[in-house]
Amino acid sequence: MPSAWDCGMGDLKSRLFARAKFIRWPSSLSAASSASSNTENERRAADVSNKSTAFPSVEDDLPRAREHHATPVIVDGEPTRAASIGGAERLNRPPRQPQPSPPPAEPAAVRTQIPQLTVEEATPDTRDHQENGSGLPSAVDTGLQPNHESSRQEGAPSASIDTAAILLNPDPTTITIQRSTQPQRPTEQTVRKQSLVPRTQTKLIRTLLDAEQPPSSATTPLDYFSERPPTINPDMISRKIWVRRPQASATMVTINEDDLVDDVRDTILRKYGNSLGRTYDAPDVTLRITAREQTQQLQRSLERVLGPEEPMAQTLDLYYPGGQTIDEALIIDVPQRRTPRPSPRPCNGSYYGEDIRPNEAATDYFPPMPRVPSPHLPTTVSNVSGQSGSHHAPVHSISILNTGQVPTLPSPGSARRHHGRPKMPRQATTSPTILTTASANLNNGTAPHPRQHRPRVNSNASETKQGPPAPPPLPTPPKADPPHAATPPIPRVASPRPQKLPRRTNRKSSEQPQLPTGILDITVPPINVLIVEDNMLNLKLLEAFMKRLRVRWQTAMNGRDAVTKWQTGGFHLVLMDIQLPIMSGLEATKEIRRLERVNGVGVFSSSVTSSTTPQTSPKQEPEDKDKLPNTDLFKSPVIIVALTASSLQSDRRAALAAGCNDFLTKPVNFVWLERKVMEWGCMQALIDFDGWRKWKDFAPSAAAEKPKASRKEKTRSSSTSVTTSRDEPQTDGASS
Amino acid sequence: MPGAKDIAETRSEEGSTGFPDFGDSIDPPTFEQILEMDDDEDEREFSKSIVYGFFEQAEGTFTKMETSLANGDLAQLSSLGHFLKGSSATLGLTKVKDSCEKIQHFGAKKDETGTVDEADDQVCLQRIKDTLVDVKAEYSEAEKLLKKFYHDPS
């Protein structure tokens, strides 16, 4: 018996802190039976069960429980004793005393302590008093308690000895010493224990008590003293813990004793069903625990995040011996919502244009056209990405085409910071491909060494970057007929999803700008844009935007200026403010259209299928003053996108009637602007494709030069040939 | 310190931009796309130049409006209103923009929606005068917020 008790004490000691709160009242009750040895337990089982059956009532019958506590106080006259844990245990033990077979000396000692408690519990108070009075002086009694407690902490054997010593020879000093080791805190703790016992634990307690093996059930509480009996399901033991969100009030969640932090997160999400549960999954949630001042030594930092694998209850007990107060509620952290930022306006969730500005999709005015077949698709994708690899190349080619000379690099912008944000996956659209191809073609047509400026088509880098794998090359259809048939319909190119605007790297553009893959997600066609805007502020902004899109641009401050600039040729896109001084945007637009007409520019006046290259389909000779200086620079009618400050439909109609192709509402939304540039730019390139075809027929000699020109970059030359072969299907598709 | 808190919260939600809460004075998406153009989110050189350019522009325009108001030059007032409307719209200063639009309409001898003609010049001038007071107040509110955003003590 003594050994058993000793073991129990030793066990208790080792587990005291870890398990401290494990079981509240009920546990302490059964703690009485805690005696680890089965034999003893069995013997007492009946007795214990009798007593402990009452225990569930502790919760149900609070007053009574208080009474228990109160009793010792009265008896001892010692305030400290009143609520101590020891008190609770003593309460539990009493049951043993009545037992018929008194244990040997040491146990007896223990029991002797217990009797005081016992009285409180099962036996009438009077009896208790009597026993106390007869057995031990109140002082001893008080001392015993602490002693008991301290013995647990210090070691089982000593504990029993001490107790015995006290019993036999109540020495105040001893008591005092022991008491000093005993912290005061248990006092409050005990009280809390009572209130915290959830009603649901009644079941547990009953289970324990009614279990087939009463002894083991008796042990239960005793997690303090012994291993947990197998019959007890940990799930049955629940407790409540405080949690709160930052800056919010705390709330309690019920957890099972052996729950891991991971389980607790689940529970919390259920508790916060609305604010968190709908948005977050359990793994998103982190719990922070803040150590008490005193216990800080346990943890290096005052605050730390709980790992999902930590046992919740034990951790809490470790941090908050004596119980977690509301102020010590665990803090629930959820990750900041960091969604990928597909557009420059991340904070506006509803930003995606279709809902907001449906009109600007302009589908009303440009009814859906059959999609251009995309035999190029494979090349396209790689072209696009290839272009992104060396973005200046296309610009060169187009500018050479239009101006006959190599222009300076397009408006080098200041260094841009690269945002490492998630990008939208690249989408394979037909337009960019065609675009690149076309511009390359154009380039071939006019430039002596076009190959130098070819984008790095099909480069490896592009392969790594592009999202969808390139489909296998389509079989090349038979060569198309004359270029005449080639003019494609004006398609509404599928809008690319809004994407992160390309950012410039800090690197200054060297001969071959090396962009890290992924930096340039958008390849805007290498077009030349004329910005017509009288407000310096807006102009500056638009210029900055064009810089970022890496397209060339020029500016005009009024309508007259715009027409003059346009007449120099080479523009693909005009962003036309409508309200302009001197000549309004509408007037300027009309003038441009008129000049295009009289000069027979492009496909505007001819049907889609019969359209020819501008050079081959001159209308009547325009008057001198209207004659464009270099018709080669006007491959097609320029696209005019009106910028209107008003959202009135009438204004839009007026703009379209004047010859604008599209419009944007001010303040210009950059995502939309980018789309327009992309779409119209791609379309322009499609149209210009004609010119390239023409050149191709004419200039086999130029083709012979290709290898030379492309000497520097083999990939380019090879890609060129690929592109060339692919162009034919494209033509067919467009003409069919 | 509610203001500071707002900023902090916005920053955390936003991730990096640190877009503050300007209330209804400034349309967040519009202004943010300008901020997006900044190379350096600490310096904010570009957007700052735009914003401060706007300050100059707006103050200059107000002065001109006062002059035109004194001269009874409705057409000029309408033009000035239109001009400032464009700038403020670009920056997302919605309130200023709306008021400027009114001035533009009043100057064009219309009602504030621009749909009904108003024959009486004096009525138009008076309306512009009133609106000018409003727009100045709205402007200074926005200016204050923006200067705070750019950590401008003045």
Side-chain angles (χ1 to χ4, degrees):
Chain A
M1 279 305 287
S3 64
W5 185 247
D6 286 355
C7 293
M9 293 305 263
D11 194 25
L12 171 70
K13 170 206 164 194
S14 64
R15 310 178 88 185
L16 176 60
F17 281 99
R19 298 273 187 165
K21 307 294 194 41
F22 183 47
I23 298 180
R24 314 274 168 172
W25 251 106
S27 66
S28 50
L29 292 180
S30 41
S33 61
S34 69
S36 42
S37 80
N38 286 337
T39 55
E40 187 177 349
N41 285 338
E42 283 174 5
R43 261 185 296 156
R44 294 171 184 165
D47 197 352
V48 172
S49 61
N50 289 339
K51 313 264 174 177
S52 42
T53 31
F55 273 94
S57 69
V58 168
E59 186 196 6
D60 301 339
D61 187 3
L62 266 183
R64 188 181 159 189
R66 282 188 201 125
E67 203 179 66
H68 296 306
H69 289 288
T71 319
V73 179
I74 296 166
V75 173
D76 302 338
E78 280 273 355
T80 50
R81 180 197 170 187
S84 70
I85 291 179
E89 287 178 2
R90 274 178 286 144
L91 288 178
N92 298 330
R93 282 176 205 153
R96 287 187 204 162
Q97 268 220 333
Q99 303 242 339
S101 61
E106 285 185 352
V110 174
R111 271 182 289 139
T112 29
Q113 301 175 359
I114 299 163
Q116 308 151 4
L117 312 171
T118 311
V119 177
E120 305 161 3
E121 272 295 317
T123 44
D125 285 353
T126 53
R127 184 189 160 194
D128 185 19
H129 292 289
Q130 289 175 354
E131 282 190 7
N132 279 336
S134 63
L136 295 170
S138 63
V140 173
D141 189 354
T142 35
L144 280 178
Q145 281 238 325
N147 179 6
H148 187 67
E149 196 75 6
S150 62
S151 68
R152 281 189 199 159
Q153 294 174 353
E154 291 166 1
S158 66
S160 56
I161 293 170
D162 286 348
T163 0
I166 292 164
L167 252 183
L168 301 174
N169 179 18
D171 182 4
T173 18
T174 327
I175 296 167
T176 317
I177 293 166
Q178 290 166 347
R179 192 187 286 173
S180 66
T181 59
Q182 168 73 7
Q184 293 277 16
R185 53 172 167 79
T187 310
E188 288 177 354
Q189 183 184 358
T190 314
V191 175
R192 283 189 61 251
K193 280 180 178 178
Q194 289 180 345
S195 63
L196 287 182
V197 177
R199 209 164 267 273
T200 54
Q201 288 198 348
T202 308
K203 185 185 168 195
L204 164 68
I205 293 162
R206 291 198 190 280
T207 307
L208 295 177
L209 297 174
D210 299 342
E212 283 182 2
Q213 297 181 347
S216 63
S217 68
T219 334
T220 16
L222 309 187
D223 275 3
Y224 292 108
F225 298 93
S226 63
E227 291 300 329
R228 182 180 307 177
T231 54
I232 298 198
N233 179 355
D235 288 344
M236 297 168 61
I237 307 171
S238 63
R239 62 189 289 181
K240 290 195 168 186
I241 62 169
W242 287 106
V243 297
R244 67 179 172 90
R245 300 191 66 185
Q247 272 95 40
S249 74
T251 183
M252 286 192 123
V253 296
T254 305
I255 64 167
N256 290 323
E257 193 59 36
D258 62 348
D259 271 356
L260 300 181
V261 172
D262 195 36
D263 303 311
V264 176
R265 297 193 297 195
D266 247 346
T267 314
I268 287 171
L269 284 188
R270 278 197 290 276
K271 181 98 178 187
Y272 289 88
N274 281 317
S275 58
L276 297 179
R278 294 188 184 188
T279 322
Y280 298 100
D281 297 326
D284 297 335
V285 178
T286 54
L287 289 176
R288 264 185 295 142
I289 191 168
T290 308
R292 279 182 188 156
E293 292 280 324
Q294 314 90 290
T295 52
Q296 269 187 45
Q297 62 270 18
L298 292 173
Q299 300 293 331
R300 254 158 256 117
S301 61
L302 189 61
E303 203 177 71
R304 77 180 180 92
V305 173
L306 293 173
E309 77 290 352
E310 297 181 54
M312 188 75 253
Q314 291 182 27
T315 308
L316 273 182
D317 292 339
L318 190 63
Y319 269 82
Y320 307 126
Q324 181 194 28
T325 68
I326 187 171
D327 294 331
E328 293 160 345
L330 299 182
I331 298 165
I332 305 167
D333 286 323
V334 292
Q336 305 301 339
R337 262 178 251 190
R338 301 198 60 180
T339 52
R341 305 177 74 191
S343 79
R345 297 178 164 189
C347 65
N348 187 348
S350 62
Y351 182 64
Y352 290 109
E354 277 82 4
D355 326 334
I356 295 181
R357 299 185 177 185
N359 287 333
E360 286 179 347
T363 46
D364 297 342
Y365 303 96
F366 299 94
M369 299 288 244
R371 235 186 132 95
V372 178
S374 55
H376 284 285
L377 195 50
T379 2
T380 309
V381 179
S382 39
N383 276 353
V384 172
S385 26
Q387 208 174 11
S388 65
S390 61
H391 62 277
H392 287 303
V395 177
H396 278 222
S397 61
I398 193 79
S399 57
I400 289 169
L401 166 72
N402 291 318
T403 62
Q405 54 187 350
V406 179
T408 54
L409 287 179
S411 49
S414 50
R416 288 208 170 266
R417 190 173 58 81
H418 169 49
H419 293 249
R421 294 172 186 142
K423 314 276 188 182
M424 300 289 292
R426 169 170 296 283
Q427 296 188 336
T429 56
T430 57
S431 42
T433 327
I434 294 162
L435 211 265
T436 311
T437 310
S439 61
N441 295 341
L442 293 174
N443 181 9
N444 291 343
T446 52
H449 303 293
R451 294 299 170 207
Q452 290 177 352
H453 306 290
R454 290 303 303 259
R456 234 183 270 127
V457 186
N458 287 342
S459 67
N460 289 337
S462 66
E463 289 298 325
T464 60
K465 190 186 161 208
Q466 69 200 22
L474 297 177
T476 305
K479 182 153 176 130
D481 293 82
H484 291 266
T487 308
I490 299 180
R492 289 292 299 175
V493 185
S495 300
R497 290 187 58 88
Q499 293 175 345
K500 192 79 192 136
L501 294 178
R503 300 273 192 173
R504 277 168 195 260
T505 52
N506 288 333
R507 242 165 290 190
K508 277 296 172 190
S509 54
S510 54
E511 187 64 22
Q512 281 295 326
Q514 303 277 332
L515 289 178
T517 55
I519 230 183
L520 189 58
D521 278 336
I522 297 170
T523 304
V524 172
I527 55 174
N528 195 4
V529 179
L530 178 61
I531 305 172
V532 190
E533 168 66 76
D534 63 323
N535 189 319
M536 271 309 298
L537 203 74
N538 295 346
L539 191 56
K540 202 172 162 187
L541 211 57
L542 289 172
E543 284 185 276
F545 192 74
M546 292 304 147
K547 246 187 236 174
R548 183 184 291 189
L549 288 180
R550 289 194 201 90
V551 300
R552 287 181 303 136
W553 79 93
Q554 291 187 44
T555 60
M557 298 287 283
N558 61 60
R560 172 53 60 199
D561 197 11
V563 174
T564 308
K565 283 237 168 101
W566 172 80
Q567 280 178 311
T568 64
F571 289 103
H572 301 85
L573 183 64
V574 177
L575 299 177
M576 181 80 77
D577 188 13
I578 291 306
Q579 297 209 25
L580 291 169
I582 302 180
M583 179 188 265
S584 83
L586 293 184
E587 291 168 22
T589 302
K590 286 176 186 166
E591 176 67 6
I592 290 174
R593 294 303 184 213
R594 186 186 70 82
L595 290 173
E596 281 177 344
R597 208 159 40 238
V598 300
N599 283 278
V601 171
V603 298
F604 220 74
S605 54
S606 47
S607 76
V608 168
T609 50
S610 68
S611 71
T612 59
T613 54
Q615 294 91 335
T616 58
S617 65
K619 304 277 179 184
Q620 71 284 4
E621 277 297 306
E623 300 173 27
D624 282 351
K625 74 176 174 73
D626 287 343
K627 181 157 183 167
L628 295 174
N630 183 357
T631 51
D632 284 346
L633 296 179
F634 297 87
K635 297 289 182 194
S636 64
V638 72
I639 298 296
I640 301 178
V641 177
L643 305 179
T644 73
S646 101
S647 53
L648 295 179
Q649 277 294 334
S650 58
D651 289 353
R652 300 187 169 184
R653 292 208 188 92
L656 293 168
C660 294
N661 302 75
D662 206 342
F663 46 74
L664 283 172
T665 304
K666 293 201 285 188
V668 173
N669 174 320
F670 286 167
V671 174
W672 273 100
L673 178 57
E674 179 205 319
R675 286 194 198 179
K676 297 303 182 195
V677 171
M678 175 76 89
E679 293 174 17
W680 290 115
C682 292
M683 200 208 75
Q684 285 286 55
L686 264 176
I687 293 171
D688 259 352
F689 172 73
D690 249 10
W692 179 81
R693 284 300 306 267
K694 189 163 191 284
W695 166 86
K696 193 182 164 209
D697 291 341
F698 273 138
S701 58
E705 284 181 20
K706 284 177 194 170
K708 238 197 249 172
S710 59
R711 207 172 18 186
K712 283 181 187 172
E713 276 215 349
K714 284 184 180 179
T715 54
R716 285 188 182 181
S717 70
S718 66
S719 62
T720 308
S721 59
V722 170
T723 311
T724 309
S725 64
R726 296 267 166 77
D727 289 338
E728 288 149 12
Q730 165 60 27
T731 308
D732 292 342
S735 60
S736 62
Chain B
M1 288 298 289
K5 192 182 157 213
D6 283 348
I7 289 175
E9 280 182 0
T10 318
R11 178 157 311 178
S12 59
E13 270 180 29
E14 182 94 5
S16 60
T17 315
F19 188 76
D21 181 13
F22 286 130
D24 55 354
S25 292
I26 299 173
D27 179 45
T30 308
F31 186 62
E32 173 136 354
Q33 74 176 3
I34 297 173
L35 296 184
E36 281 279 323
M37 307 283 284
D38 281 330
D39 298 324
D40 184 337
E41 284 182 9
D42 294 325
E43 294 295 324
R44 296 211 175 281
E45 194 180 338
F46 176 77
S47 68
K48 192 170 181 177
S49 75
I50 293 281
V51 168
Y52 280 72
F54 172 74
F55 290 160
E56 289 176 21
Q57 204 180 67
E59 279 149 23
T61 307
F62 290 146
T63 310
K64 284 183 196 166
M65 280 180 175
E66 301 278 9
T67 312
S68 302
L69 204 53
N71 298 337
D73 187 346
L74 284 175
Q76 178 67 11
L77 283 166
S78 179
S79 166
L80 289 169
H82 168 74
F83 176 73
L84 196 57
K85 180 182 77 172
S87 306
S88 51
T90 298
L91 285 181
L93 307 184
T94 43
K95 284 180 174 177
V96 177
K97 186 201 98 173
D98 292 344
S99 295
C100 286
E101 191 165 13
K102 286 181 195 170
I103 292 177
Q104 181 189 355
H105 290 320
F106 292 146
K109 295 194 190 180
K110 309 243 181 185
D111 72 344
E112 68 175 33
T113 62
T115 51
V116 182
D117 289 337
E118 171 59 59
D120 192 339
D121 284 7
Q122 287 310 309
V123 171
C124 292
L125 285 174
Q126 185 56 46
R127 282 176 177 170
I128 291 176
K129 205 170 180 177
D130 297 341
T131 311
L132 188 54
V133 175
D134 295 343
V135 74
K136 278 181 178 171
E138 290 154 359
Y139 164 76
S140 44
E141 184 190 353
E143 183 191 30
K144 209 165 64 186
L145 288 168
L146 286 170
K147 283 191 171 173
K148 191 177 162 197
F149 177 72
Y150 287 106
H151 309 297
D152 189 331
S154 62

